[in-house]
Amino acid sequence: MERGIEPITFGRFKRDFDEIEGGVLRRGMFVSLVIVVFFIVNIGTIFSFPLERSLAPVQDYFAFHAAAENSFNDVAGLYDPEIFTALFDEKNGMLWLYPPTMLLVLFPFGLFPYGVAKVIWVIASCAGLGVAAYKITKGNLFLTVAMVLSPAAFAVLFTGQLSIFFACLALVGFLNAKSRPILSGICFGFLTLKPQFGLLVPVFLLCTGSWRAIFAAAVTTLFLVMVSIAAFGLEAWAAFFSSLSQTHTDYVQSVGHSGRITLADALRILGVAELSTALITLLSVGIGGSLIVLARRLGASIPDLTVLALLLTAITAPYFWVYDWLFVTFAALLFLRDRPTQPVWVQGMIVLVWFAPIAPYVGSGANLVPVIWLVLLGVLVAVSSVLLGLTGRGLRRQTI
């Protein structure tokens, strides 16, 4: 039951903690608060705000700010690795892999010095994450704080990524596909700024009959593309599509990335297969889409389908890093909100997947990728067994 506005007190914090059902889950959520240590140890990276980019510690936010600044000049040049990396003085190695529409959102940050722009990004990220967690948990203060201090949140803020906003777009889009289709479609239209997260969106919208959301998503996407062409020219899109067969392909097929958690990466590290990422993605999307359709035909509600869609987005995306893990933790919180009482093994899988994104920061590099991916698969199996009624709890029928 959603609470009204209540004062933030220790009593409320403890009460909300006591409401978490299941000893394994309760202890796991409590232990996760120690992640604050990682924030403190890395405070010089996360909360460093020098006005000059060259004075700041290296983060992915470098790339976003540099691209935002350059959006007023040569956008097509951003897709040339030599031109783009030259923007970072000696801090090279970054690539620009986003469509030109991304710059429509980023260019305002280029109007500010690096430190000011980063302050805005950190405040907006923390606020967005807090609001999302508070809404998902229906006002549970303990779980909201645990989410803001979670391993997934640390991974986003430490690397300087934008994943909080994309996870929120997906969450709002899926949950509101039937009740607020225009809002849903707008969210999915903006999700095309990172198109790898939208592979299952058409399946979700079609099997739920969300025609107005489909229309709104198409219109929003078309609008973003047309505005980007007017702002940056067709040459920017030509450079982007050219990079898909060059820079993108080389990077996606490369190995040894400790924080990139995909089936393709796991298989390559294990030496099991040399299949292309495109083929693996196609098979994964086919299986994931079939699972969503099956759940829908069995009468799953929109929230249940949202849990599946968020988890399957993480599993099927051809490009998914630990800093994108909020897709997974949002799914876990939404699942627990509607089904708080779970068997011990399901509780254990949720605790494992909650801590999984911290592993690359304390473990042995890329060798952990297959283990983390298996944990992700394990929580999908655990959640699916409940949502599909395999544990005897049955499905919640569609009511929206």
Side-chain angles (χ1 to χ4, degrees):
M1 177 173 146
E2 190 160 7
R3 304 173 176 86
I5 298 177
E6 298 181 69
I8 298 176
T9 63
F10 177 77
R12 178 188 171 190
F13 189 78
K14 183 179 183 304
R15 180 202 68 192
D16 290 353
F17 170 72
D18 291 338
E19 288 183 357
I20 301 174
E21 299 186 27
V24 172
L25 189 61
R26 188 183 297 114
R27 286 190 289 270
M29 291 296 101
F30 182 77
V31 172
S32 76
L33 295 180
V34 304
I35 299 300
V36 71
V37 173
F38 286 81
F39 284 91
I40 294 172
V41 171
N42 294 281
I43 194 170
T45 296
I46 298 173
F47 300 107
S48 174
F49 307 110
L51 293 181
E52 295 294 328
R53 191 168 57 237
S54 60
L55 301 177
V58 179
Q59 290 182 287
D60 286 2
Y61 193 72
F62 265 51
F64 297 120
H65 188 258
E69 281 188 335
N70 212 56
S71 63
F72 302 101
N73 301 310
D74 178 23
V75 171
L78 296 175
Y79 298 98
D80 184 323
E82 291 186 4
I83 294 177
F84 187 65
T85 55
L87 300 175
F88 305 108
D89 299 321
E90 298 179 359
K91 299 167 182 175
N92 295 332
M94 295 184 178
L95 300 170
W96 184 249
L97 304 173
Y98 301 94
T101 46
M102 175 68 89
L103 294 172
L104 296 176
V105 175
L106 290 181
F107 88 85
F109 291 90
L111 300 173
F112 301 99
Y114 178 82
V116 176
K118 188 182 172 186
V119 167
I120 297 172
W121 165 75
V122 168
I123 292 175
S125 296
C126 292
L129 181 57
V131 170
Y134 193 82
K135 290 293 186 181
I136 293 173
T137 62
K138 294 184 176 180
N140 187 296
L141 181 61
F142 177 84
L143 288 177
T144 298
V145 173
M147 180 74 262
V148 173
L149 298 177
S150 67
F154 170 77
V156 175
L157 293 171
F158 178 74
T159 54
Q161 267 286 340
L162 307 177
S163 305
I164 290 173
F165 304 105
F166 291 106
C168 287
L169 286 173
L171 176 70
V172 174
F174 287 129
L175 281 177
N176 293 280
K178 297 293 286 183
S179 58
R180 298 181 181 85
I182 303 302
L183 172 63
S184 172
I186 292 173
C187 287
F188 287 138
F190 276 92
L191 195 62
T192 60
L193 303 186
K194 270 200 171 185
Q196 71 267 32
F197 295 149
L199 299 180
L200 292 171
V201 169
V203 177
F204 185 99
L205 295 180
L206 286 171
C207 78
T208 56
S210 304
W211 310 114
R212 293 176 65 192
I214 292 174
F215 176 77
V219 171
T220 302
T221 302
L222 180 61
F223 174 77
L224 291 172
V225 170
M226 296 304 295
V227 172
S228 70
I229 291 174
F232 311 125
L234 282 171
E235 58 271 18
W237 279 98
F240 168 69
F241 284 118
S242 177
S243 72
L244 291 179
S245 60
Q246 299 172 23
T247 309
H248 278 75
T249 301
D250 292 342
Y251 192 60
V252 169
Q253 292 292 131
S254 61
V255 296
H257 303 286
S258 61
R260 196 169 70 186
I261 315 300
T262 68
L263 176 57
D265 283 292
L267 291 176
R268 290 193 190 101
I269 290 169
L270 292 173
V272 173
E274 291 297 332
L275 296 175
S276 71
T277 299
L279 179 58
I280 293 173
T281 301
L282 182 62
L283 294 173
S284 300
V285 170
I287 295 171
S290 298
L291 184 58
I292 291 175
V293 172
L294 173 62
R296 176 62 176 176
R297 288 186 175 180
L298 290 175
S301 66
I302 292 296
D304 285 349
L305 289 175
T306 297
V307 171
L308 281 179
L310 290 172
L311 288 176
L312 288 167
T313 294
I315 286 179
T316 60
Y319 193 81
F320 193 86
W321 289 75
V322 288
Y323 54 66
D324 298 315
W325 210 256
L326 287 170
F327 281 80
V328 180
T329 50
F330 280 176
L333 285 182
L334 185 61
F335 172 75
L336 291 172
R337 181 192 74 181
D338 296 325
R339 287 182 169 83
T341 304
Q342 293 300 327
V344 171
W345 76 278
V346 175
Q347 295 179 46
M349 289 307 308
I350 291 175
V351 170
L352 282 176
V353 85
W354 186 272
F355 281 95
I358 207 66
Y361 299 100
V362 298
S364 55
N367 293 329
L368 285 173
V369 170
V371 177
I372 298 173
W373 193 88
L374 285 175
V375 169
L376 180 57
L377 179 62
V379 83
L380 174 66
V381 172
V383 168
S384 297
S385 70
V386 175
L387 296 184
L388 298 179
L390 301 181
T391 63
R393 295 176 182 274
L395 283 159
R396 285 189 301 130
R397 293 288 166 178
Q398 172 66 25
T399 57
I400 297 177

